[in-house]
Amino acid sequence: MVVYYEVVFLSDAVMDGFLLCLSSAVLKLPLRPHRLFVSACVGGGISLLCVLFPAYKVYMFLVGLLILPALVKKHARIKEYLSAVLAFLAAGAVVAGLSVALISLGIDRTELFFGKTPILVGSSGILAVVFVARMQKNLPSIRNKNEYSLSAFLATGGREIRFSAFYDSGNRVYSDDGKRVVFVSDSGYAGLVKEKEETLSFRTAGGVCTSKMTPAELRVCYADGKCALYQVMVASARQLKSDRLILHGEMGGI
């Protein structure tokens, strides 16, 4: 079977694009189409050089492994870059393992690595990863589309502050004495009267976080007009806007 240089370039470029998309999605890194395109083309060029100069293919593979994750995103920290390299390598290893399994079943190696098969698989993989990433990005806005239908009032030291609250079923944080913890922004927390403060450690998708918290009485007015009172601990979450409050998972949905 004759394989043309342009087929080698295109096949590897598409598969590299898929692997970069997949590894970026696993690490929850933003995808930039122009960076992805440039990275994929560089990957295709390196693959073509491996065919032209097979004696240096190991060195070229290592160069590609180090360069492509750096091209697809500008990394602020070396730890983030190394994680991207490892994720890219792991994604490639998974695909290589599947390829070996298919070859053992009798599928021709050349047809598997060059031509319609890698182009179709890579293109479909890129579209699937982009679709899933878009869906995950839109889920919070879909889940919280009614967030402003709730009014919440935090009372501390005889002073009451109004917030726009939304329900988060994933918030299962409790204080040491068993009180439910709700979250407000740093500025919202600064406006509370603090009779006493404690330190709170909790785990998020980004790792373990530490925050200050203080007791308060929370009054939540639901969409049906009913209000409920809760004795809670209030902690700060810097990613929140100033007028928002995250309810505890046991306080009922909207």
Side-chain angles (χ1 to χ4, degrees):
M1 179 179 178
V2 178
V3 180
Y4 296 97
Y5 291 142
E6 60 268 23
V7 175
V8 173
F9 172 83
L10 185 59
S11 300
D12 199 80
V14 174
M15 285 303 299
D16 280 339
F18 168 53
L19 295 177
L20 290 168
C21 274
L22 186 59
S23 57
S24 296
V26 169
L27 296 176
K28 297 182 179 180
L29 300 176
L31 289 173
R32 301 286 186 266
H34 63 286
R35 280 184 170 272
L36 179 64
F37 177 77
V38 171
S39 302
C41 288
V42 171
I46 291 175
S47 180
L48 188 58
L49 290 175
C50 289
V51 173
L52 294 173
F53 306 100
Y56 301 98
K57 63 181 180 181
V58 174
Y59 302 104
M60 293 178 188
F61 168 79
L62 293 176
V63 169
L65 178 63
L66 296 175
I67 287 180
L68 298 189
L71 291 175
V72 79
K73 182 187 181 298
K74 185 178 180 180
H75 301 282
R77 296 176 298 175
I78 186 66
K79 183 179 179 180
E80 183 183 81
Y81 165 70
L82 292 177
S83 297
V85 171
L86 290 175
F88 180 56
L89 180 61
V94 170
V95 172
L98 292 174
S99 301
V100 171
L102 292 174
I103 292 172
S104 67
L105 294 176
I107 297 178
D108 183 75
R109 186 178 187 278
T110 303
E111 292 182 358
L112 187 62
F113 285 102
F114 305 107
K116 294 185 294 183
T117 300
I119 293 174
L120 180 60
V121 171
S123 300
S124 302
I126 292 173
L127 292 176
V129 171
V130 171
F131 175 77
V132 171
R134 289 290 179 89
M135 287 296 295
Q136 289 179 334
K137 183 178 179 180
N138 292 331
L139 275 178
S141 61
I142 294 172
R143 184 186 65 184
N144 299 327
K145 63 181 179 181
N146 296 320
E147 59 184 307
Y148 293 107
S149 65
L150 282 185
S151 293
F153 301 86
L154 281 176
T156 56
R159 181 185 178 190
E160 191 174 68
I161 302 177
R162 183 184 183 280
F163 292 88
S164 294
F166 61 91
Y167 174 68
D168 185 355
S169 61
N171 178 15
R172 300 287 173 175
V173 181
Y174 295 89
S175 63
D176 291 338
D177 59 359
K179 287 185 179 179
R180 287 167 284 200
V181 178
V182 299
F183 292 89
V184 297
S185 67
D186 287 346
S187 59
Y189 183 81
L192 299 175
V193 178
K194 305 167 189 67
E195 297 178 353
K196 66 174 184 177
E197 279 190 308
E198 300 177 22
T199 300
L200 171 70
S201 294
F202 56 97
R203 184 175 296 277
T204 67
V208 177
C209 298
T210 302
S211 175
K212 293 290 185 180
M213 64 178 179
T214 189
E217 182 180 79
L218 172 66
R219 177 164 58 94
V220 182
C221 297
Y222 292 95
D224 58 4
K226 296 180 179 180
C227 294
L229 288 176
Y230 303 96
Q231 297 299 321
V232 300
M233 299 297 289
V234 185
S236 62
R238 63 184 58 185
Q239 70 270 23
L240 288 178
K241 293 184 179 179
S242 59
D243 64 337
R244 298 189 181 186
L245 181 147
I246 300 178
L247 295 173
H248 192 274
E250 293 183 352
M251 292 180 179
I254 299 173

